[in-house]
Structure formats: C-alpha cells, structure tokens
Amino acid sequence: MLDLVFTRRFSMGHRLIHGASESCALPHGHNEFVTVRLRPTAPRRLDGAGNMVVSFQRAKSRWHRFVDERLDHALQLAEDDPLLAWFRAHEPERARRIIVTPGDPTTELMACLMMAKLNALLDADGALLRCAEITLQETPTNTVRYEGDPLDMLPAPRPAGQCWWRRADDSIADA
C-alpha cells in the first residue's frame, strides 16, 4: 500500500480546566508537529506515466493552509471555559481565533478533531485519500498517535452540522 506522509509544525496555546493537570490550568503554549498518513481510498497500480497516487501538492496544500491559517498561533479552549465567554464579550475579533473543543483541548482530543477535519477536507476534494493515521507531538517527550475513525473517539456524538471538525471549511468553532 502506498501512503502519503507529511508533517507540519505549528504553535498553539491552550489550558485544561477539568482537573487532569493543575499545572495545565493556566494558559500556556506548545510548538507542535502534526504528521498525517494518507491512504488512497481506491488503491491501484502506478500508471507508468505520472506514477503518483495524487500529487503531494494536491494532497497537502489544503491541509497545510488550514494548519497555517487556523491552528497556528490559535488558542484552544473547552466550550465551557469561562475565558471563552470573556473573549466573546470583550474581544470578539480575537475570539474568532479560538479553537472551541468539546471538553478540555488535550492532545488526544485535538488529534481526533484534526483527523476528522482533515477527512472532511479530503472528502470535499473528491475522496481520493483518507487519513489513516495522525500523530500529534505536543513536546519532544509527549506524542499522541491515532489510527481509526476519529468520530468513534470523540465525546458525545452531535449532528454533523454542529461540528466544525466535520465541515470542509475553515471553521474552528460552532458558536
């Protein structure tokens, strides 16, 4: 099986308020690496001419733009985080740069949300590829790797229209 694998680096900020780690309750940031492994949905023999599943440019350009324009230097907050309400009330323009998550924006959750978003983008581009695996490196010593259907791992299912991670657009929040 021929898979396409590529990595993108981005910086982010977040905080975890639901008690998993008191040291993470204050806003802080990480320089992360996201690596994705894309697999053809209809594998076939190379054609003897172009010899590609799809071009790397096509496979990664939309995803890299999303990472660069929406994830890089964004703040990740749980939908019930009081900071989110504060930003919406006092700095609405900056609030639009906040990634809103169902519960704490842990590395595990973000890996699943990012994989679901990437699959929505790939589906909108003809469904030639599917994300088979995502690896999100939070620090040089902490990494999450996931393969499978990310929707199976996400908290309480919601209607597709209410989930930014299921839409093939640049959304990072639903409210």
Side-chain angles (χ1 to χ4, degrees):
M1 180 74 58
L2 292 173
D3 291 343
L4 304 179
V5 180
F6 44 87
T7 300
R8 198 70 166 179
R9 180 183 178 274
F10 66 100
S11 298
M12 52 69 82
H14 70 168
R15 76 176 192 146
L16 310 179
I17 61 170
H18 293 286
S21 171
E22 185 55 34
S23 64
C24 294
L26 290 174
H28 62 285
H30 301 279
N31 293 310
E32 299 194 340
F33 290 88
V34 59
T35 301
V36 298
R37 182 168 47 96
L38 305 185
R39 177 163 289 156
T41 56
R44 64 184 191 282
R45 183 181 304 268
L46 295 175
D47 64 8
N51 290 322
M52 293 182 196
V53 175
V54 300
S55 72
F56 269 105
Q57 181 175 354
R58 179 175 180 179
K60 66 184 182 179
S61 64
R62 180 68 179 91
W63 173 244
H64 283 187
R65 185 166 44 99
F66 179 77
V67 171
D68 293 348
E69 295 177 6
R70 305 304 285 169
L71 301 181
D72 190 38
H73 285 84
L75 179 61
Q76 303 169 0
L77 295 176
E79 60 195 357
D80 64 341
D81 191 315
L83 276 181
L84 182 58
W86 186 91
F87 271 102
R88 286 178 172 159
H90 300 285
E91 297 189 34
E93 285 301 313
R94 289 192 173 117
R96 287 190 251 292
R97 290 277 301 134
I98 296 174
I99 299 166
V100 181
T101 63
D104 278 344
T106 62
T107 306
E108 295 87 341
L109 177 68
M110 289 305 299
C112 290
L113 294 175
M114 291 166 73
M115 186 178 199
K117 185 65 153 188
L118 175 55
N119 281 332
L121 297 172
L122 291 168
D123 286 348
D125 187 37
L128 301 173
L129 300 167
R130 195 92 184 136
C131 185
E133 178 181 284
I134 189 165
T135 303
L136 188 57
Q137 182 185 51
E138 180 183 78
T139 70
T141 59
N142 294 334
T143 299
V144 169
R145 184 183 63 80
Y146 181 70
E147 55 184 292
D149 185 345
L151 301 178
D152 292 343
M153 294 300 293
L154 293 172
R158 302 171 187 206
Q162 296 176 12
C163 303
W164 61 262
W165 52 90
R166 295 183 70 184
R167 292 193 300 267
D169 59 19
D170 284 340
S171 60
I172 55 173
D174 289 315

